[in-house]
Amino acid sequence: MPTRTIFRLSLTVPRGTCAEVVLPEGGCVSVNGEPGGVKELKAGSYEIEVRGLPPGAWDDPTLASVAVEKE
């Protein structure tokens, strides 16, 4: 299975709230086409793109701990 190198997310934050997007580490993040962070996003619409994530960035860390316990 090929590794994905680009992740895109469209997000709308409702008025009166803020949001934080949690992403794997290691990629370059852009928000609405500009380099930026994904913490404390105010109300509005966002296009978030992450490029260059390392292989295994989306692996479920809870599965790794289960594999270790079985050894």
Side-chain angles (χ1 to χ4, degrees):
M1 181 185 256
T3 302
R4 294 183 180 188
T5 57
I6 300 173
F7 171 77
R8 292 185 180 104
L9 172 69
S10 296
L11 173 70
T12 300
V13 179
R15 185 176 46 212
T17 66
C18 64
E20 179 175 336
V21 178
V22 179
L23 299 166
E25 293 185 24
C28 296
V29 179
S30 65
V31 179
N32 294 339
E34 299 292 329
V38 290
K39 294 183 179 187
E40 297 185 28
L41 297 172
K42 308 270 187 245
S45 295
Y46 299 92
E47 295 292 325
I48 298 167
E49 183 175 282
V50 184
R51 292 180 173 267
L53 286 170
W58 294 105
D59 290 351
D60 184 344
T62 60
L63 295 178
S65 66
V66 170
V68 170
E69 289 175 11
K70 288 182 177 181
E71 290 181 24

